């Protein structure tokens, strides 16, 4: 028995013989010995069932009598070795890390399991073919058991420009399966699921969360077995024949990340956030406010306009200028040029130098967009190397956004792209790369005709790693038509994600809230878009747009040349506010609060950030639609220092719309002092707000008066 323990979580692993199984994943057990744990959780043999109770192994085994979904799916030629049964041969424990070597001598397979508990529990596995024939792998899923009381699931759907949509369903007998075959972690099927006690909320209920750090295809199965046990399994989804292990070869799963909290979904999310913040590569410098040219000029690259945009940006406090799509090859629209990573002589006749010099002279960093995994059939590289496309011979390739995937697992294609990017980054002073990926994989076969998504994804990771090694000062962003590739596999090698192509503040409120269950705010690109959102046609005030983007990694995606002087001033004020608060926003604990719904769709929502030492907080309350009652509810803020007094003020600009201030709660004018306990229990009455507007509350802990002498 092995016990991994932190302040909030304990994982008990039984590796006493057969396949390792987790006996407990939840709150710390305290003072109890191993044999008592084993006896306490020992299950009865059901009537009319198999005579032994099959363990719920981390890699579940049909061969041991588990009749749910097996973890390992594969076989040798002729169908042999299809149902292995592993025995634990060795266990190495080192602090909170455990490595278990398990072997099946009949099937001639070795399975290594690595577990580590810190801010999250990580689990990964490596399968080795120790036999003399090939082993055809269908999948290798890692399963974690959920406590009996985890009776509700929270998972995610979404779409382009509408990512991270939260779904809730009962976790009951049968299976919920989420499968993704798109070649990216996708807008539609984020590899993230939470389970919890019925009705769990942001600050109540026991909650478990699981995320697979896979950047490509994945499968999640949440299953309640006939005997009542609950399990969530996660693994890479492999197409037939995609991974074949020759003798001696290995396959490593993506890492599974798991968090647990006894007090709600917000604290459970902190496990994921803290894990990301502990990465050695986590960006430590203040997140530079950026301007991105996409929704400002699209493909209309003109040096005079681009430099004028830079002037405006610098004048209002922007710190990074990102040149988006359209600077290279024949790329005058989205039908051609992808793959030709040379500066377009039409768009930039004197190269990128004049623009970069201009931007840098204004004191801003320079960033650039690329989409290295793609080619347009109308490109020089495709004309020279049609065999580099990740397609299937004999079929007409299915295009998406006029483009094909480039087979980076092909060493020649990889070298070509790597060299082009090295020339780009080596030849220019570039601080930031927006790495885009804008289509699904369809019938994506490598040079040998076998499914190629697995090898392609490994090559993408390898390429990013190589570029980071060569250019350690450059930051990278993971973009995939917005938030289509947000996962810890990509985040191991990127510094920001482009959350969504939707800059409509109303949509963004829920998109960002969904993603905040996985990412801390500083990794989440949040831009102030144009007055009329390009993806929805909705019009919002600058206040609502700016407050909605305030907490994330702030940017502007709006043609600043269109703004009135008053709008520029107001925008500059928001940028200054963000810069003033970002030490808190990007280092504190991100918090969400349960909306009050009055039985219908909630009309408003609140989220924000508490300083780690609870000395300060910023909360945004957004009125999403007209209220479902005459006046809004009280906002309760659990989790602050109960004994401290907080001065609560409304930050300017307050966004109270046209409503007269004498009809609003008086604290909105001159603030109020309340203790952390009272903020949690009594709460604070929200003002009446117009729909699609928001306010920002600032909480500051009052210094305690010196004790009387
Ligand atoms: C999709 C991205 O999500 C956008 O932000 C933009 O970079 C376009 N691609 C450019 O083609």
């Amino acid at each position: 028995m092995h016990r991994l323990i932190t302040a909030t979580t304990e994982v008990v692993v039984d590796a006493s013989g057969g396949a390792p199984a987790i006996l407990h994943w939840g709150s710390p057990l305290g003072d109890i010995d191993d044999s008592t744990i084993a006896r306490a959780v020992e299950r009865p043999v059901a009537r009319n069932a198999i005579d032994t109770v099959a363990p719920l192994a981390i890699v579940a085994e049909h061969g041991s009598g588990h009749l749910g979904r097996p973890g390992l799916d594969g076989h040798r030629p002729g169908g042999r070795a299809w149902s292995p049964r592993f025995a634990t041969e060795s266990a190495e424990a080192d602090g909170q890390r455990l490595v278990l070597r398990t072997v099946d001598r009949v099937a001639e397979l070795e399975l290594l399991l690595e577990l580590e508990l810190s801010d999250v529990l990580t689990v990964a596995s490596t399968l080795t073919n120790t036999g003399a024939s090939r082993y055809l792998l269908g999948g290798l899923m890692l399963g974690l058991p959920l406590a009996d009381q985890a009776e509700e699931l929270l998972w995610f759907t979404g779409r382009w420009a509408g990512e991270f949509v939260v779904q809730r369903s009962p976790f009951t007998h049968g299976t919920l399966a989420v499968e993704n075959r798109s070649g990216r972690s996708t807008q539609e099927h984020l590899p993230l699921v939470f389970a919890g006690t019925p009705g769990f909320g942001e600050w109540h209920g026991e909650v478990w969360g699981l995320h697979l750090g896979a950047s490509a295809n994945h499968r999640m199965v949440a299953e309640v077995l006939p005997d009542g046990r609950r399990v969530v399994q996660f693994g890479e989804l492999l197409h037939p024949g995609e991974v074949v292990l020759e003798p001696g070869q290995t396959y490593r799963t993506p890492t599974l990340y798991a968090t647990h909290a006894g007090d709600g979904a917000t604290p459970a999310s902190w496990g994921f956030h803290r894990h990301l913040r502990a990465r050695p590569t986590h960006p430590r410098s203040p997140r530079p406010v950026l301007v991105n040219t996409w929704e400002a000029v699209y493909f209309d690259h003109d040096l005079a306009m681009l430099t004028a945009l830079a002037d405006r940006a610098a004048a209002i406090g922007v710190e990074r200028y990102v040149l988006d799509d359209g600077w290279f090859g024949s790329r005058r629209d989205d039908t051609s040029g992808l793959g030709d990573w040379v500066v377009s002589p039409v768009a930039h006749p004197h190269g990128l130098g004049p623009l970069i010099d201009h931007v840098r002279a204004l004191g801003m960093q320079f960033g650039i967009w690329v989409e290295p995994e793609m080619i347009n059939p109308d490109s020089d590289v495709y004309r020279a190397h049609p065999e580099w496309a990740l397609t299937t011979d004999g079929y007409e390739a299915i295009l998406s956004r006029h483009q094909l995937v480039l087979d980076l697992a092909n060493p020649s294609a990889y070298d070509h792209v790597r060299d082009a990017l090295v020339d780009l980054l080596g030849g220019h002073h570039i601080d930031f790369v927006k790495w885009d990926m804008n289509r699904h994989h369809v019938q994506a076969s490598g040079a040998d005709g076998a499914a190629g998504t697995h090898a392609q994804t490994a090559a993408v990771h390898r390429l990013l790693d190589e570029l980071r090694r060569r250019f350690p000062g450059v930051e990278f962003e993971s973009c995939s038509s917005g938030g289509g590739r947000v996962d810890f596999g990509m985040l191991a090698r990127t510094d920001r994600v482009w959350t969504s192509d939707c800059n409509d503040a109303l949509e963004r409120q829920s998109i960002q809230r969904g993603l905040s269950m996985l990412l801390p705010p500083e990794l989440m690109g949040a831009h102030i878009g144009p007055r009329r959102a390009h993806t929805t046609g909705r019009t919002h005030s600058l206040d609502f747009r700016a407050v909605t983007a305030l907490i994330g990694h702030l940017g502007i995606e709006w043609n600043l040349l269109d703004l009135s002087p008053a709008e520029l001033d107001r925008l500059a004020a928001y940028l200054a506010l963000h810069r003033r608060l970002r030490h808190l926003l990007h280092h504190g604990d991100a918090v969400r609060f349960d909306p009050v719904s009055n039985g219908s769709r909630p009309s408003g929502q609140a989220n924000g950030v508490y300083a780690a030492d609870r000395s300060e907080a910023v909360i945004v309350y957004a009125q999403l639609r007209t209220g479902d009652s005459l006046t809004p509810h009280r906002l309760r803020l659990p989790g602050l220092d109960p004994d401290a007094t907080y001065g609560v003020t409304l930050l300017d600009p307050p966004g109270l719309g046209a409503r007269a201030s004498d009809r609003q709660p008086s604290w909105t004018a001159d603030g109020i002092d309340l203790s952390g306990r009272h903020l949690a229990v009594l709460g604070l009455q929200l003002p009446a707000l117009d729909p699609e507007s928001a306010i920002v509350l600032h909480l500051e802990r009052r210094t305690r008066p010196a004790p009387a002498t």
Side-chain angles (χ1 to χ4, degrees):
M1 201 92 93
H2 300 271
R3 296 175 66 178
L4 310 176
I5 306 171
T6 63
T8 58
T9 304
E10 175 159 355
V11 177
V12 180
V13 184
D14 179 6
S16 55
I22 290 176
L23 299 188
H24 169 78
W25 169 35
S27 300
L29 298 175
D31 185 17
I32 182 170
D33 61 66
D34 291 358
S35 68
T36 311
I37 298 174
R39 288 182 55 227
V41 301
E42 186 183 339
R43 299 184 73 88
V45 175
R47 293 172 71 181
N48 195 25
I50 296 165
D51 287 346
T52 54
V53 181
L56 202 45
I58 298 169
V59 177
E61 293 182 339
H62 175 82
S64 302
H66 172 78
L67 299 181
R69 196 191 160 81
L72 178 58
D73 169 9
H75 62 92
R76 293 188 183 278
R80 290 179 308 107
W82 64 277
S83 175
R85 200 191 299 183
F86 290 87
T88 303
E89 296 253 313
S90 68
E92 276 173 42
D94 178 10
Q96 299 304 313
R97 184 174 157 76
L98 180 63
V99 179
L100 303 165
R101 198 174 137 263
T102 74
V103 171
D104 179 338
R105 295 196 194 290
V106 180
E108 297 182 302
L109 294 168
E110 182 183 297
L111 193 66
L112 199 72
L113 283 164
E114 294 161 66
L115 292 89
E116 186 162 0
L117 182 66
S118 55
D119 296 316
V120 288
L121 169 68
T122 58
V123 189
S125 175
T126 305
L127 178 71
T128 305
N129 177 5
T130 55
S133 62
R134 13 176 40 199
Y135 182 77
L136 291 86
L137 181 64
L140 176 48
M141 297 185 69
L142 302 168
L144 295 181
L146 277 303
D148 297 340
Q149 64 271 27
E151 290 190 82
E152 194 166 317
L153 290 170
L154 184 157
W155 46 289
F156 296 82
T157 55
R159 58 167 165 81
W160 173 74
E163 292 87 343
F164 316 119
V165 179
V166 169
Q167 308 285 348
R168 290 184 87 129
S169 52
F171 189 7
T172 183
H173 281 271
T175 58
L176 170 80
V178 174
E179 297 195 336
N180 162 40
R181 294 181 175 77
S182 71
R184 43 181 169 175
S185 47
T186 88
Q187 269 111 345
E188 290 84 2
H189 308 293
L190 186 69
L192 176 66
V193 64
F194 289 82
T197 45
F200 70 89
E202 293 299 344
W203 295 92
H204 64 90
E206 193 169 4
V207 180
W208 295 260
L210 298 93
H211 165 63
L212 188 73
S215 307
N217 296 333
H218 59 261
R219 174 182 284 130
M220 188 281 291
V221 176
E223 185 170 10
V224 179
L225 301 171
D227 66 12
R229 284 181 293 177
R230 288 156 205 279
V231 60
V232 172
Q233 291 169 291
F234 247 128
E236 181 178 6
L237 187 152
L238 298 173
H239 288 297
E242 186 159 14
V243 175
V244 175
L245 298 180
E246 299 295 343
Q249 285 189 335
T250 62
Y251 166 82
R252 186 174 170 80
T253 60
T255 302
L256 178 62
Y257 301 84
T259 181
H260 162 263
D263 50 357
T266 281
S269 297
W270 295 341
F272 292 134
H273 298 182
R274 288 173 184 161
H275 171 80
L276 289 168
R277 285 177 170 171
R279 295 170 304 158
T281 55
H282 190 74
R284 313 270 165 216
S285 57
R287 301 295 68 220
V289 176
L290 63 83
V291 68
N292 178 293
T293 60
W294 182 239
E295 290 201 358
V297 302
Y298 290 103
F299 292 104
D300 190 7
H301 284 211
D302 166 71
L303 185 60
M305 177 141 75
L306 291 171
T307 50
L309 188 63
D311 293 339
R312 278 271 163 104
I316 59 167
V318 169
E319 299 158 313
R320 176 183 281 171
Y321 181 101
V322 182
L323 184 68
D324 210 283
D325 197 354
W327 59 268
F328 54 91
S330 59
R331 190 83 169 161
R332 301 286 65 77
D333 57 32
D334 67 6
T335 61
S336 78
L338 283 177
D340 299 336
W341 301 110
V342 284
V343 180
S344 158
V346 177
H348 298 273
H350 306 289
L352 292 176
L355 180 61
I356 296 180
D357 291 347
H358 189 86
V359 165
R360 302 201 76 84
L362 291 165
M364 293 186 290
Q365 298 180 2
F366 185 81
I368 197 155
W369 179 96
V370 289
E371 194 177 2
E373 299 152 66
M374 298 290 161
I375 35 171
N376 286 119
D378 183 2
S379 65
D380 293 343
V381 68
Y382 183 78
R383 279 183 283 273
H385 292 287
E387 77 283 5
W388 284 357
L390 199 62
T391 53
T392 302
D393 285 349
Y395 299 89
E396 189 182 332
I398 292 182
L399 293 174
S400 173
R401 208 193 186 207
H402 315 285
Q403 64 199 56
L404 293 169
V405 185
L406 180 69
D407 181 10
L408 289 176
N410 176 328
S412 314
Y414 179 98
D415 290 351
H416 171 84
V417 175
R418 189 260 328 274
D419 293 347
L421 295 175
V422 167
D423 285 351
L424 176 68
L425 296 177
H428 302 91
H429 197 150
I430 291 173
D431 307 278
F432 173 77
V433 172
K434 176 178 178 183
W435 184 293
D436 207 345
M437 189 282 200
N438 283 306
R439 66 156 293 173
H440 295 322
H441 288 199
V442 177
Q443 224 184 13
S445 302
D448 59 359
T453 295
H454 171 79
Q456 169 78 359
T457 309
V460 171
H461 286 175
R462 212 167 52 240
L463 181 54
L464 270 160
D465 291 344
E466 190 176 341
L467 292 170
R468 286 190 80 104
R469 261 196 316 277
R470 285 185 179 219
F471 301 99
V474 177
E475 290 189 7
F476 288 82
E477 172 173 55
S478 175
C479 172
S480 181
S481 320
R485 202 157 57 181
V486 177
D487 62 83
F488 285 12
M490 283 305 278
L491 279 159
R493 34 193 64 89
T494 51
D495 308 282
R496 180 192 209 254
V497 304
W498 180 222
T499 308
S500 176
D501 274 356
C502 184
N503 289 319
D504 172 322
L506 181 62
E507 304 284 336
R508 271 285 181 148
Q509 281 288 336
S510 57
I511 293 170
Q512 293 170 188
R513 186 173 166 106
L515 185 55
S516 75
M517 297 194 78
L518 186 64
L519 296 198
E522 67 271 20
L523 297 180
M524 226 190 276
H527 294 181
I528 303 169
R531 297 176 199 101
R532 184 165 186 274
H534 289 191
T535 53
T536 62
R538 257 194 217 111
T539 301
H540 287 127
S541 69
L542 173 54
D543 291 331
F544 188 46
R545 279 141 56 215
V547 168
T548 298
L550 187 72
I551 289 180
H553 181 174
L554 184 64
I556 300 168
E557 199 160 331
W558 182 12
N559 193 341
L560 295 172
L561 304 175
D562 289 347
L563 271 65
S564 67
E567 278 176 317
L568 280 170
D569 284 352
R570 192 120 177 110
L571 189 55
Y574 275 109
L575 267 47
L577 177 66
H578 172 83
R579 284 200 308 273
R580 180 154 70 78
L581 295 175
R582 71 184 159 190
H583 69 280
L584 162 64
L585 302 175
H586 295 168
H587 294 95
D589 294 330
V591 289
R592 297 176 300 271
F593 303 95
D594 290 317
V596 174
S597 71
N598 282 331
S600 62
R601 269 199 314 158
S603 57
Q605 69 180 22
N607 58 279
V609 180
Y610 289 173
D613 66 359
R614 300 298 184 260
S615 58
E616 199 182 352
V618 167
I619 310 296
V620 169
Y621 176 78
Q623 188 69 44
L624 303 175
R625 52 193 68 84
T626 51
D628 44 20
S629 48
L630 275 174
T631 50
H633 58 86
R634 263 185 263 158
L635 178 64
R636 289 180 175 76
L637 302 176
L640 291 162
D641 176 353
D643 299 322
T645 299
Y646 291 90
V648 185
T649 50
L650 216 45
L651 284 185
D652 180 62
L656 288 182
R659 291 162 199 259
S661 57
D662 62 352
R663 306 194 67 157
Q664 297 284 18
S666 58
W667 74 265
T668 60
D670 47 14
I672 185 170
D673 279 7
L674 281 171
S675 72
R677 180 172 293 106
H678 292 142
L679 282 161
V681 176
L682 187 63
L684 185 57
Q685 176 60 51
L686 286 164
L689 296 173
D690 294 335
E692 301 178 18
S693 69
I695 50 170
V696 186
L697 279 68
H698 185 235
L699 282 73
E700 205 162 13
R701 189 167 59 197
R702 300 267 180 235
T703 41
R704 294 204 176 94
T709 48

